[in-house]
Amino acid sequence: MLPEVLQEVKKRGHAIFERGAWNLNLIGVRTPTLQSNLFDDHLHCVFKDDCGQWVDISFQCTTDPGLYWLHNPMRSAGTAIMCPGQYRGAYKIGMHRKRYPALVQVKPVKVFRDRNRDEILDMDPKTITEGLYGVNIHHSGESGSENVNRWSAGCTVLSNLNDWEVFLSIVRRSADTYGDRFTYTLIEK
């Protein structure tokens, strides 16, 4: 039986990867809140193990930008907030800001643009743009963080470095068999 999060992805009409061991499904689950600066979302790594059993490992993260970037957008169009959807082959193993291994964006993704510089996450469909924005999947630094602050300008960011090491080992194990391109699916709870 499929894990619950994969059932939800399938119900929304997105592809899931069921064939073979370590064929990784990366799923961000956004908590339905407009409050920013919290690690209140989850990143699921769902795959079959070597015995064909489903494994669902969930990591605390944010899929939203931190307060710093909402107040200080990098672009005049506003701060990026990734739109829910499936982004096939949009990520690969690379270096985040040339500093450490991460999953880096290599194909266009859709983002809302929040430009009013307040603490509320604005996801107005009229502001959606699509492109290469450096919306990566990475961690929040060596010591971790309780608040998002500068750690995300629209990226998916794990809050705990130990979780990040586990996540990256799963990603690398999958890449050994299936290559270094990954599909990322973002859904709302």
Side-chain angles (χ1 to χ4, degrees):
M1 178 145 159
L2 287 176
E4 186 177 328
V5 71
L6 279 189
Q7 290 178 36
E8 193 61 37
V9 167
K10 194 171 188 177
K11 184 169 83 174
R12 293 171 193 235
H14 300 306
I16 60 172
F17 305 105
E18 299 182 72
R19 284 194 225 135
W22 298 89
N23 198 353
L24 189 55
N25 294 274
L26 292 176
I27 304 150
V29 179
R30 179 179 283 149
T31 300
T33 179
L34 298 178
Q35 186 177 359
S36 64
N37 222 37
L38 301 173
F39 288 101
D40 59 354
D41 304 321
H42 286 89
L43 178 60
H44 291 259
C45 291
V46 187
F47 57 94
K48 286 184 180 176
D49 65 16
D50 293 323
C51 297
Q53 298 299 308
W54 282 108
V55 176
D56 178 2
I57 302 174
S58 175
F59 304 100
Q60 188 173 1
C61 72
T62 185
T63 61
D64 309 316
L67 194 55
Y68 176 85
W69 295 112
L70 287 171
H71 288 165
N72 304 282
M74 288 183 178
R75 297 177 183 235
S76 60
T79 301
I81 303 171
M82 186 180 249
C83 296
Q86 187 169 69
Y87 302 97
R88 298 289 300 263
Y91 289 85
K92 73 176 239 171
I93 298 171
M95 297 297 283
H96 178 64
R97 302 179 85 190
K98 300 180 183 177
R99 295 188 0 225
Y100 61 86
L103 287 182
V104 297
Q105 183 193 356
V106 293
K107 287 175 71 176
V109 300
K110 291 182 180 179
V111 298
F112 300 102
R113 290 292 180 178
D114 184 341
R115 62 183 293 179
N116 65 359
R117 298 175 188 256
D118 67 8
E119 292 81 23
I120 305 300
L121 298 166
D122 297 315
M123 295 180 236
D124 182 349
K126 291 182 248 163
T127 67
I128 293 174
T129 61
E130 185 172 8
L132 292 168
Y133 304 120
V135 179
N136 298 334
I137 301 173
H138 62 92
H139 67 75
S140 65
E142 296 298 321
S143 61
S145 182
E146 288 186 26
N147 294 310
V148 178
N149 297 320
R150 290 179 181 239
W151 290 114
S152 176
C155 297
T156 296
V157 181
L158 276 69
S159 64
N160 179 291
L161 188 58
N162 291 330
D163 286 351
W164 176 255
E165 295 299 331
V166 172
F167 170 80
L168 198 56
S169 70
I170 294 167
V171 166
R172 286 181 171 146
R173 176 66 176 82
S174 179
D176 287 346
T177 303
Y178 302 100
D180 71 349
R181 291 288 180 108
F182 295 89
T183 295
Y184 180 51
T185 306
L186 177 61
I187 62 174
E188 292 180 331
K189 214 180 227 182

